[in-house]
Amino acid sequence: RTFAPFVAGIGSMPYREFVQYNIFGAILWTVLFVGGGFFFGNLPFVQKNFTAVVLGIIVVSIIPVVLELLEARREAESKGSADGGAAA
């Protein structure tokens, strides 16, 4: 939702159409996350282990960042070895 206005502007989407999609997306986003929070918040497992659930969400959220950092390091190492390791 953060980049949608920029992409819509670059793509020359008519403002009226953008507003319609934006309102629909906001309503859908709200219903899904409030409904999901209500549903999962009422599960006994989540209520008893709330701290573990929050920590799990944080860990799952950090995984893509860690994977990207590892991939960037791997690419940098392979580029360094492909150059013969010599600095220019």
Side-chain angles (χ1 to χ4, degrees), residues 1 18-36:
R1 294 195 41 92
F18 168 74
V19 169
Q20 290 172 346
Y21 281 118
N22 200 25
I23 291 171
F24 174 74
I27 292 169
L28 182 64
W29 182 271
T30 303
V31 168
L32 284 174
F33 282 93
V34 170

Side-chain angles (χ1 to χ4, degrees), residues 29-59:
W29 182 271
T30 303
V31 168
L32 284 174
F33 282 93
V34 170
F38 180 78
F39 173 75
F40 288 109
N42 283 322
L43 294 176
F45 174 80
V46 174
Q47 289 177 345
K48 291 177 185 172
N49 302 298
F50 187 71
T51 302
V53 171
V54 171
L55 291 174
I57 291 170
I58 292 170
V59 168

Side-chain angles (χ1 to χ4, degrees), residues 62-75:
I62 292 173
I63 288 173
V65 175
V66 172
L67 293 176
E68 286 296 322
L69 289 173
L70 291 173
E71 183 178 340
R73 179 183 286 176
R74 224 176 299 127
E75 287 178 9

